[in-house]
Amino acid sequence: MVVKVYITSSSGSLAITKDSQNVGELYLVKKHQQAVVGFLEANRICFEEVDISMQEEQRLWMYQNIPKEKQSGQGKPLPPQIFNEAVYCGDYEDFFQAKETNTVFSFLHLNSQPQ
């Protein structure tokens, strides 16, 4: 099974305007994406980055496969969103909680740590 991290490389894909709240939101998205990818790389966990700003069909698939309870009333869920194949694992907040409680492999639906 392959862990997939849905990210965005383009601020335009988040419909960012020049107001400070949206600039801060973009900064957090980038910071969160880097934290997830960095952790996976450091722990030699195989994963695939899926850039939703470059692949419209993947962006739509991601949005359609995020559980309704994770979709806020304030718009579309922001990257990073994490899946194991088609199984939704969670967003950055879920990942962070799993990291803090040392349950990342369970969170990612992986059987064991890489050797």
Side-chain angles (χ1 to χ4, degrees):
M1 297 186 86
V2 176
V3 172
K4 295 183 180 182
V5 181
Y6 287 76
I7 58 124
T8 183
S9 62
S10 170
S11 60
S13 67
L14 297 176
I16 298 298
T17 62
K18 294 192 186 276
D19 70 47
S20 62
Q21 179 181 356
N22 286 337
V23 170
E25 191 172 84
L26 173 61
Y27 172 76
L28 282 178
V29 166
K30 295 296 184 185
K31 184 177 174 184
H32 292 168
Q33 289 176 172
Q34 290 171 345
V36 171
V37 168
F39 180 88
L40 296 175
E41 288 174 341
N43 287 280
R44 296 181 299 176
I45 298 170
C46 293
F47 70 99
E48 175 185 336
E49 283 185 31
V50 180
D51 187 349
I52 63 170
S53 65
M54 305 299 279
Q55 302 175 41
E56 177 72 11
E57 69 284 349
Q58 291 292 341
R59 183 180 64 80
L60 294 173
W61 184 92
M62 180 192 81
Y63 288 141
Q64 291 168 351
N65 288 280
I66 295 173
K68 298 290 184 217
E69 63 271 8
K70 293 299 283 183
Q71 298 182 19
S72 68
Q74 301 153 340
K76 301 277 187 191
L78 295 175
Q81 297 291 327
I82 306 161
F83 289 79
N84 188 328
E85 293 294 339
V87 177
Y88 183 70
C89 298
D91 59 11
Y92 173 77
E93 297 302 326
D94 299 325
F95 170 80
F96 180 80
Q97 186 65 29
K99 197 169 98 173
E100 289 294 303
T101 58
N102 202 26
T103 59
V104 172
F105 292 93
S106 175
F107 165 77
L108 295 172
H109 304 284
L110 296 173
N111 293 331
S112 62
Q113 296 184 1
Q115 300 299 322

